[in-house]
Structure formats: structure tokens, C-alpha cells
Amino acid sequence: MTISQPSAAPRLTRADGSPLRILVVDDEASLTDLLTMALRYEGWDVRSANGGQDALTTAREFRPDAMVLDVMMPDLDGLQVLSRLRQNNDETPVLFLTAKDSVEDRVTGLTAGGDDYVTKPFSLEEVVARLRGLVRRSQISVSEAGDSRIVVGDLVLDEESYEVSRAGRPIELTATEFELLRFLMRNPRRVLSKAQILDRVWSYDFGGKSSVVEIYISYLRKKIDVGEQPMIHTVRGVGYVIKPTA
């Protein structure tokens, strides 16, 4: 792990001005202590858990805004913890932390409902930057525009309430799904490449692997286009576009 002082950046808080709540879960006490110290340096309210069961209990009590979750733990592993959170409709953004570094392991974590992935060894600065990105994509963000709604055809996205509906039907999205849909809807009828989507939604090149974009586009289609005329289209060899139905 590379230890470096986090770079100076605008301090992120909750919408009411209180500190962000971050839960750090890892069975290595030394690593948990180090991450806790770095995140508290950002002015965040940080709590830790040393295993899967402890993480579930602490998450219920603490209600974090984001979570750093180790994959390999002795009782419940990180994927099991995330699965139980999502089953309880807990959409807390999750940054997976693990020694596994293959593309398959990354995609497994993301398809399980995780939002980002950092492999050991890592720099504390990178973890902070990734968490800041997750928080900006989550419900913490507040729109400065006079009208917080984005409308494409019968699809409506509200950037302040984080509500999405199509033809009046409410649609539940994770933080990453919401950010992906927002990016598409801010660029209606414009074909966006996978590279553009990776850069905007994930804020970094995901190892050059565009499969994560395909996975999340498929998630959106199941929620947005189910039972309706499709709005999200693939332009083969180029990217994706959203446009109103005829």
C-alpha cells in the first residue's frame, strides 16, 4: 500500500452540511485503522467493522453514505454482505477492496451491485478519490439548476429528489445506474462511446474493459424499457444513445 497525504480538495458533506458517514469493513485491524485515519482527515464521520456480520449490524445502526468493503473475510465475504444489503433495499454505494485483481473478479463485484473496485496494494489517496466519486454520484449531490428535472420523452429524472419515472411509473435505480442514466439523458439523441461513459460515470478508465458499461446498460434497459418501446439504443461499433420513442 502506498501511504500519501490526501490531496487538498473541496470538502464534501451531506446535504444538510453534516459530515459524510463512511463505513470501513476489513478483517485486518491495521488496514482498517489506516483507512479510518485517512478518511477522517477528509472531515468524514468514519466507523469500522472487522467482519461481515459486524458490517451488517453497523450498517443498520450507522446508515453510512458509502462503504469500503473487503471481499475476503472469514465469516461473511464482501459479496455476501452486499447481497444482504441489496435484498433489504439498501443502496449504499460500495467500494470493494480486495487482493484479487483479475478483470473477472472486478466484473463479479460490480455485477453483484458494487459501485467501484480497488485492489491491494493501493494508495490511500486513490481510495479517497474513488469514494469522493461515489458520493458525488449518490443522493448526496444537490442540483444547482433552477429546474432539477431532466425530461426525455416520457422518461423523467429529478436530480434533487433522485426520483426516476417513465410514463408515471416509478423506477428504482442504484447510484451508478442513476448516474449512467443522467449522463445519457443530458445528451439525448447523441451517441456516447463506451470510453466517454467510462470516463464520465466511473471517472477513470476501467482497465480498458468496456464490459462494465455493457452490464450497466443492460441493467438500465431492464428497468427503463421493460414493457415499453425501447429508448436506449446500441449503435454497433460506436456506443449508446437515448431518444424518445416515436
Side-chain angles (χ1 to χ4, degrees):
M1 182 192 312
T2 303
I3 302 175
S4 58
Q5 181 172 307
S7 59
R11 181 148 295 182
L12 293 179
T13 65
R14 308 183 94 198
D16 62 3
S18 61
L20 291 176
R21 296 176 182 176
I22 308 296
L23 176 59
V24 177
V25 185
D26 197 298
D27 60 332
E28 295 182 42
S30 59
L31 181 56
T32 301
D33 291 344
L34 197 58
L35 283 168
T36 298
M37 178 183 65
L39 300 179
R40 283 179 176 162
Y41 182 87
E42 293 292 310
W44 298 341
D45 184 1
V46 185
R47 294 198 189 171
S48 62
N50 58 14
Q53 293 289 0
D54 188 18
L56 292 172
T57 300
T58 305
R60 284 194 299 268
E61 297 171 351
F62 185 46
R63 299 181 64 83
D65 299 306
M67 185 182 303
V68 180
L69 182 59
D70 188 27
V71 170
M72 301 300 294
M73 292 184 290
D75 52 355
L76 292 176
D77 66 31
L79 296 177
Q80 291 173 309
V81 171
L82 182 60
S83 175
R84 295 193 184 188
L85 289 172
R86 297 297 187 249
Q87 286 173 7
N88 292 325
N89 297 316
D90 185 331
E91 299 298 337
T92 303
V94 169
L95 173 66
F96 274 126
L97 184 66
T98 181
K100 294 184 176 181
D101 60 359
S102 72
V103 171
E104 290 76 14
D105 289 326
R106 299 185 191 188
V107 171
T108 297
L110 291 170
T111 54
D115 297 277
D116 207 343
Y117 202 109
V118 174
T119 58
K120 302 174 184 178
F122 56 83
S123 71
L124 294 176
E125 191 171 35
E126 179 183 16
V127 172
V128 170
R130 297 285 181 86
L131 280 174
R132 291 175 68 89
L134 288 186
V135 169
R136 289 193 188 98
R137 301 201 299 265
S138 75
Q139 71 275 12
I140 307 305
S141 302
V142 178
S143 171
E144 296 178 355
D147 185 355
S148 62
R149 299 192 314 156
I150 305 174
V151 180
V152 177
D154 60 358
L155 184 63
V156 180
L157 179 150
D158 193 311
E159 294 183 293
E160 290 190 358
S161 67
Y162 272 67
E163 294 175 334
V164 176
S165 64
R166 181 168 184 190
R169 172 178 60 89
I171 300 170
E172 297 292 330
L173 300 179
T174 66
T176 301
E177 290 168 350
F178 184 92
E179 186 64 19
L180 173 55
L181 180 61
R182 174 161 57 180
F183 185 44
L184 292 172
M185 291 181 68
R186 281 179 172 174
N187 297 275
R189 301 183 184 277
R190 176 186 173 193
V191 179
L192 301 170
S193 69
K194 292 177 182 178
Q196 287 175 309
I197 294 172
L198 279 170
D199 182 65
R200 174 60 182 84
V201 178
W202 281 269
S203 303
Y204 69 104
D205 184 345
F206 191 72
K209 303 299 179 180
S210 59
S211 57
V212 66
V213 176
E214 298 169 5
I215 290 168
Y216 273 85
I217 287 289
S218 71
Y219 291 167
L220 280 185
R221 281 177 166 149
K222 290 176 183 178
K223 295 183 177 183
I224 302 298
D225 290 340
V226 62
E228 306 279 356
Q229 290 187 11
M231 293 184 68
I232 302 173
H233 303 271
T234 301
V235 179
R236 192 170 300 278
V238 183
Y240 302 96
V241 60
I242 192 168
K243 54 187 177 181
T245 56

